[in-house]
């Protein structure tokens, strides 16, 4: 599961939708096995469009869960003509959002504390009957 | 602005989908096309457009056409074709614009089986001398390709005509996705990971076009299976995401996975993720905009319809307290939640409802729905008050058919008809297995 996907996943328990704690899920660093997939090519235009969709606070929060506390508090903004400096930032974001994979790990809802697993890079968001 | 005439050369297959594809691609690229001369029986249509770029934008992604040409002329014989070309109001302008360019001639035909030998072709090419092309002939990557298209009337279904009934001549503007090899590239036979529910390349690409999948936008398939629609969406540049309640399909086997398909197609950047999830217990955050939803929901033939929950709740009462080695069983890594049967009608209601909440205004939902042909019962198409049913394209099989339903999200003000909660699809599965008798 790509780091980027952590930005789209909330808890599947319907009752947690009434809480603002159900997104993002909490990732426990010790339980998460990360892998870099360097074969995915860097495409700044594509990435810019994707960054538009990203909830930056959640990026910062999950990155910090996983041990990266270097991110700026506010979403970087880019002018139409990308400078060299922009490209450096975009490359870093490509490495983080697109190339970083959580291969094995756990995600926990901060509201109901249900634990979801990531196995072989695939997150499993199914629920037991008493939570469904 | 002066508009120019173009010749569109289409294919005579999936005719219930062809106009929908052409309209959707024109709309997607903001190209204003007058379809009044469109005929389902003809592979040709002459249209006027503002410029070559419009023609190119419109047809580049198309699967149910071959190409679009700048229209130079037509005739029932070569003699009348040459007259028509020279009488074209833009003839002098076209001639001088191409005078110095490198070029080659191509021959296309429709409905004929007459094989032309090279000397006949050379003679034909020489008959165009009046074009006064002075540029070099280049067989590889010429600046311009001049194309002669011969239309034959087939003698019977299997026997092509011998003499062309009509001949068109034009300058190639854009080959379609089909003519550039998309069907060969995505042929299921060559796909590393596929399954019994994989959807064939041609109609999955057509579906993605009618659904207006857009580059660098999000496409979601909530019943992803082996990922056929993700492949189609990725081909058109979307960032694709899928989920399925059945984890076995999305896991694949060893090296054969959905992700590996993207690697094989060299389109890894288009693939976001697939996840094991019950669509009706959705984990995608509510403010995450999904631009397009494209899917083939399970309809109970090769896969049963299930959602999370206990079929017999009494049997599961208190199970949440079961512990294994001091740990809640349902919180263990290898816990497998129980599932219960669900009806196709409810699932489709949920799908329309979800689309109305998640799609942006004018975003499209497209999905396939099976119907039996055996009864004199009108097929009821699911409707939602926020969604405009834009297309209902039928693919007919012998005793049943399936249709691509395409909806556009128009928002709350649309106030369209709603038939949620109605039993529509009946017992398609039972009728399928009883041979529709």
């Amino acid at each position: 599961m790509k780091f980027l996907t952590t930005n789209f996943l909330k808890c599947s328990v319907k009752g947690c939708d009434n809480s603002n704690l159900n997104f993002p899920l909490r990732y426990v660093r010790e339980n998460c096995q990360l892998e870099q997939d360097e074969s995915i090519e860097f495409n700044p235009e594509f990435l810019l469009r994707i960054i538009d969709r990203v909830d930056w606070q959640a990026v910062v929060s999950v990155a910090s869960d996983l041990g990266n506390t270097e991110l700026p508090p506010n979403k970087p903004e880019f002018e139409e003509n990308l400078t060299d400096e922009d490209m450096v930032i975009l490359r870093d974001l490509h490495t983080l959002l697109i190339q970083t994979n959580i291969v094995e790990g756990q995600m926990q809802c901060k509201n109901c504390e249900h634990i979801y697993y990531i196995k072989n890079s695939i997150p499993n968001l199914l629920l037991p009957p008493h939570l469904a | 602005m002066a508009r120019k005439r173009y010749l569109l050369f289409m294919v005579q297959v999936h005719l219930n989908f062809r106009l929908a594809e052409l309209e959707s691609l024109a709309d997607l690229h903001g190209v204003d096309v007058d379809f009044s001369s469109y005929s389902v029986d003809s592979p040709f249509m002459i249209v006027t457009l503002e410029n070559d770029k419009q023609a190119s934008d419109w047809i580049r992604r198309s699967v149910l056409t071959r190409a679009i040409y700048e229209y130079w002329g037509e005739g029932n014989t070569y003699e009348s074709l040459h007259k028509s070309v020279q009488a074209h109001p833009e003839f002098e302008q076209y001639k001088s614009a191409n005078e110095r360019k490198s070029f080659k001639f191509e021959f296309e035909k429709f409905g004929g089986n007459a094989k032309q030998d090279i000397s006949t072709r050379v003679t034909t090419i020489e008959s165009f001398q009046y074009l006064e092309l002075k540029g070099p002939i280049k067989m590889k990557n010429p600046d311009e390709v001049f194309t002669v298209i011969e239309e034959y009337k087939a003698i019977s279904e299997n026997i092509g005509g011998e003499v062309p009934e009509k001949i068109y001549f034009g300058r190639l503007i854009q080959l379609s996705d089909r003519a550039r090899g998309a069907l060969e590239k995505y042929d299921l036979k060559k796909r590393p990971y596929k399954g019994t529910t994989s959807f064939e390349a041609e109609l999955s690409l057509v579906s993605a076009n009618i659904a207006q999948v857009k580059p660098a936008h999000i496409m979601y398939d909530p019943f992803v299976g082996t990922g056929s629609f993700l492949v189609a969406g990725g081909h058109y540049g979307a960032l694709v995401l899928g989920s399925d309640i059945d984890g076995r399909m999305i896991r694949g086997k060893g090296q054969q996975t959905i992700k590996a398909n993207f690697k094989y197609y060299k389109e890894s950047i288009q693939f976001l993720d697939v996840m094991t999830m019950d669509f009706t217990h959705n984990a995608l955050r509510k403010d995450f905009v999904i631009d397009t939803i494209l899917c083939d929901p399970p309809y109970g033939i090769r896969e049963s319809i299930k959602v999370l929950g206990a079929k017999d709740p009494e049997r599961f009462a208190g199970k949440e307290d079961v512990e294994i080695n001091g740990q809640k069983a349902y919180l263990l890594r290898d816990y497998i939640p129980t599932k219960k049967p669900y009806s196709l009608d409810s699932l489709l209601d949920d799908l329309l409802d979800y689309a109305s909440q998640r799609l942006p205004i004018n975003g499209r939902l497209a999905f396939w729905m099976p119907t039996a042909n055996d009864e004199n019962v009108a097929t009821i198409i699911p409707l939602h008050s926020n969604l405009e049913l834009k297309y209902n394209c039928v693919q007919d099989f012998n005793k049943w058919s399936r249709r691509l339903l395409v909806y556009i999200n128009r928002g709350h003000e649309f106030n369209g008809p709603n038939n949620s909660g109605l039993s529509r699809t009946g017992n398609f599965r039972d009728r399928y297995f009883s041979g529709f008798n």
Side-chain angles (χ1 to χ4, degrees):
Chain A
M1 180 176 107
K2 290 187 173 64
F3 184 102
L4 180 58
T5 301
T6 67
N7 205 266
F8 307 138
L9 291 183
K10 65 172 181 72
C11 178
S12 357
V13 175
K14 283 176 182 159
C16 293
D17 286 345
N18 302 322
S19 147
N20 53 10
L21 294 172
N22 69 343
F23 172 79
L25 298 169
R26 179 192 293 131
Y27 295 76
V28 181
R29 189 180 177 184
E30 293 73 46
N31 295 334
C32 288
Q33 184 190 324
L34 304 183
E35 221 171 72
Q36 291 299 123
D37 183 352
E38 275 155 27
S39 70
I40 305 176
E41 74 271 32
F42 174 56
N43 180 336
E45 287 78 25
F46 188 75
L47 188 60
L48 276 172
R49 300 296 296 273
I50 302 310
I51 291 169
D52 273 351
R53 306 297 179 96
V54 158
D55 178 323
W56 187 256
Q57 278 198 317
V59 172
V60 174
S61 152
V62 175
S64 137
D65 283 355
L66 295 172
N68 177 348
T69 50
E70 312 280 290
L71 293 175
N74 296 315
K75 194 190 271 198
E77 283 178 23
F78 302 94
E79 299 291 317
E80 197 155 326
N81 291 319
L82 296 171
T83 62
D84 287 351
E85 204 176 317
D86 288 341
M87 290 302 264
V88 171
I89 297 170
L90 283 171
R91 266 190 193 283
D92 282 350
L93 287 174
H94 174 69
T95 306
L96 177 70
L97 299 173
I98 309 282
Q99 292 190 329
T100 305
N101 262 287
I102 307 177
V103 183
E104 291 286 329
Q106 290 181 14
M107 326 178 261
Q108 187 171 31
C109 175
K110 289 176 218 166
N111 185 50
C112 72
E113 302 196 327
H114 187 66
I115 296 170
Y116 301 93
Y117 290 86
I118 301 161
K119 297 193 254 184
N120 290 316
S121 291
I122 296 174
N124 183 329
L125 294 135
L126 299 181
L127 295 170
H130 71 281
L131 295 177
Chain B
M1 188 192 280
R3 291 168 76 96
K4 281 202 317 190
R5 273 183 293 172
Y6 293 86
L7 171 69
L8 179 62
F9 184 20
M10 299 171 274
V11 293
Q12 290 303 105
V13 296
H14 296 309
L15 294 172
N16 293 343
F17 295 74
R18 197 176 69 180
L19 185 58
E21 187 194 51
L22 286 167
E23 284 181 351
S24 299
L25 291 176
D27 177 63
L28 176 64
H29 293 101
V31 180
D32 180 20
V33 180
D34 175 4
F35 284 97
S36 58
S37 68
Y38 176 87
S39 162
V40 82
D41 301 319
S42 171
F44 300 104
M45 177 167 79
I46 292 168
V47 294
T48 67
L49 301 170
E50 281 174 16
N51 52 43
D52 296 357
K53 183 179 179 300
Q54 280 202 337
S56 181
D57 285 349
W58 179 33
I59 295 308
R60 187 181 300 111
R61 273 175 63 161
S62 163
V63 172
L64 298 179
T65 68
R66 293 199 185 284
I68 190 163
Y69 305 90
E70 183 179 74
Y71 174 85
W72 285 39
E74 68 188 89
N76 301 102
T77 61
Y78 273 95
E79 205 191 331
S80 63
L81 169 69
H82 293 315
K83 275 191 187 146
S84 157
V85 171
Q86 292 172 85
H88 192 294
E90 251 69 60
F91 178 62
E92 288 304 326
Q93 200 187 317
Y94 285 180
K95 228 173 73 175
S96 63
N98 292 282
E99 202 179 2
R100 301 283 162 197
K101 294 202 175 153
S102 66
F103 71 97
K104 72 170 172 179
F105 270 68
E106 284 275 9
F107 290 82
E108 299 285 348
K109 63 186 170 193
F110 176 79
N113 65 352
K115 280 212 177 84
Q116 278 186 342
D117 53 51
I118 297 210
S119 68
T120 316
R121 287 202 167 170
V122 170
T123 311
T124 306
I125 293 170
E126 283 171 351
S127 70
F128 283 94
Q129 252 183 11
Y130 60 88
L131 299 179
E132 296 175 346
L133 299 167
K134 299 189 181 74
I137 295 172
K138 264 176 83 179
M139 297 316 281
K140 260 194 177 170
N141 303 321
D143 294 331
E144 302 298 341
V145 177
F146 294 96
T147 306
V148 179
I149 308 172
E150 295 181 334
E151 183 183 13
Y152 293 76
K153 196 174 169 87
I155 294 164
S156 74
E157 211 168 291
N158 300 316
I159 307 166
E162 300 279 328
V163 182
E165 285 213 316
K166 200 160 194 183
I167 309 147
Y168 293 94
F169 184 67
R171 180 175 67 91
L172 177 67
I173 300 296
Q174 179 66 54
L175 288 173
S176 72
D177 204 17
R178 179 191 209 92
R180 299 196 319 278
L183 303 191
E184 290 74 25
K185 179 175 177 187
Y186 294 104
D187 187 351
L188 280 181
K189 286 192 213 95
K190 293 180 238 166
R191 191 170 299 176
Y193 176 55
K194 56 184 174 277
T196 54
T197 58
S198 293
F199 208 99
E200 48 129 334
E202 184 175 21
L203 280 180
S204 58
L205 293 167
V206 169
S207 304
N209 276 335
I210 301 178
Q212 294 186 328
V213 167
K214 298 171 197 65
H217 284 59
I218 306 283
M219 188 202 102
Y220 173 46
D221 179 349
F223 310 103
V224 71
T226 57
S228 310
F229 289 116
L230 297 193
V231 166
H235 173 62
Y236 294 124
L239 182 65
V240 299
L241 171 69
S243 70
D244 205 301
I245 194 169
D246 185 351
R248 289 169 302 181
M249 299 262 250
I250 62 176
R251 265 199 301 280
K253 287 181 209 134
Q255 297 301 304
Q256 293 177 310
T257 60
I258 294 173
K259 193 175 172 178
N261 284 345
F262 281 85
K263 206 159 241 177
Y264 171 77
Y265 293 128
K266 299 190 168 58
E267 287 164 356
S268 288
I269 193 167
Q270 311 301 339
F271 175 72
L272 178 55
D273 265 306
V274 283
M275 47 214 182
T276 310
M277 181 177 91
D278 172 7
F279 162 70
T280 70
H281 291 81
N282 210 279
L284 294 171
R285 67 171 153 91
K286 296 224 155 143
D287 52 353
F288 172 54
V289 175
I290 297 163
D291 300 283
T292 312
I293 300 173
L294 173 58
C295 59
D296 183 21
Y299 40 89
I301 305 304
R302 293 191 187 87
E303 65 294 86
S304 58
I305 305 169
K306 288 195 166 156
V307 295
L308 290 173
K311 188 179 172 185
D312 176 5
E314 272 175 38
R315 210 163 66 79
F316 281 85
K319 283 265 171 84
E320 62 267 31
D321 298 323
V322 172
E323 294 192 358
I324 296 171
N325 299 330
Q327 267 233 337
K328 295 273 191 207
Y330 74 83
L331 292 178
L332 293 174
R333 185 176 181 273
D334 295 320
Y335 173 82
I336 297 171
T338 185
K339 294 162 197 165
K340 64 182 181 190
Y342 201 58
S343 77
L344 178 55
D345 288 319
S346 307
L347 192 69
L348 296 182
D349 284 346
D350 293 345
L351 181 60
L352 265 62
D353 214 36
Y354 185 85
S356 76
Q357 291 167 27
R358 302 301 183 95
L359 292 175
I361 296 297
N362 298 327
R364 292 190 177 193
L365 159 70
F367 67 89
W368 287 83
M369 186 176 96
T371 43
N373 296 343
D374 60 332
E375 287 175 67
N376 299 322
V377 175
T379 300
I380 305 170
I381 304 301
L383 296 171
H384 185 287
S385 53
N386 293 16
L387 304 177
E388 176 194 347
L389 176 68
K390 180 70 177 172
Y391 296 110
N392 174 356
C393 307
V394 181
Q395 183 189 23
D396 244 319
F397 297 103
N398 184 17
K399 291 185 170 176
W400 65 290
S401 44
R402 63 178 174 186
R403 49 190 75 219
L404 179 69
L405 300 176
V406 183
Y407 303 81
I408 302 178
N409 185 22
R410 299 295 191 196
H412 292 289
E413 285 88 59
F414 183 63
N415 243 326
N418 187 321
N419 61 12
S420 158
L422 208 65
S423 170
R424 292 169 299 239
T425 47
N427 46 350
F428 181 78
R429 180 177 189 276
D430 296 344
R431 280 142 77 201
Y432 182 93
F433 284 117
S434 65
F436 296 108
N437 288 315

